[in-house]
Amino acid sequence: RALGGIFMSRSAVYLKLGSPDRAEDDATRALAIVPKERCASLYQIRAEAREQLGKLAEAREDEEIAAEIWENAETLHPGMDGPPIKYVH
């Protein structure tokens, strides 16, 4: 799992540095390691990379998967005064 986290972090860095091809590659590698139900942000990173590469259909698929993961995430209520937050477990 640690390797998946490394690939995820590096894909985000590559995206910020303007290398969407490398970002897509690392995101895809991370998705092969990290359980799908924990990857909403990773799918969003890969969707952004794919959008920059002109792969709009694939980007849309990743965005839909990320939205589904967030939709099914558990809602936590941290206390009386805190707003509810989504938790992907």
Side-chain angles (χ1 to χ4, degrees):
R1 289 187 187 185
L3 187 57
I6 291 168
F7 282 133
M8 180 177 171
S9 297
R10 194 168 72 171
S11 69
V13 170
Y14 279 142
L15 195 60
K16 291 204 181 279
L17 292 175
S19 294
D21 52 337
R22 289 182 172 179
E24 180 190 23
D25 185 49
D26 274 1
T28 301
R29 288 180 183 182
L31 285 167
I33 299 169
V34 180
K36 180 180 176 180
E37 63 274 2
R38 299 194 61 142
C39 295
S41 297
L42 188 50
Y43 277 104
Q44 290 172 323
I45 291 169
R46 190 170 74 170
E48 189 173 336
R50 287 179 165 179
E51 186 176 314
Q52 289 179 20
L53 292 168
K55 299 178 179 181
L56 301 182
E58 292 96 333
R60 176 72 178 177
E61 288 175 19
D62 283 347
E63 289 172 349
E64 289 174 359
I65 293 169
E68 181 181 328
I69 293 169
W70 280 115
E71 183 68 29
N72 295 325
E74 182 179 351
T75 302
L76 299 179
H77 299 276
M80 297 295 283
D81 56 352
I85 56 173
K86 288 281 193 169
Y87 173 72
V88 178
H89 50 83

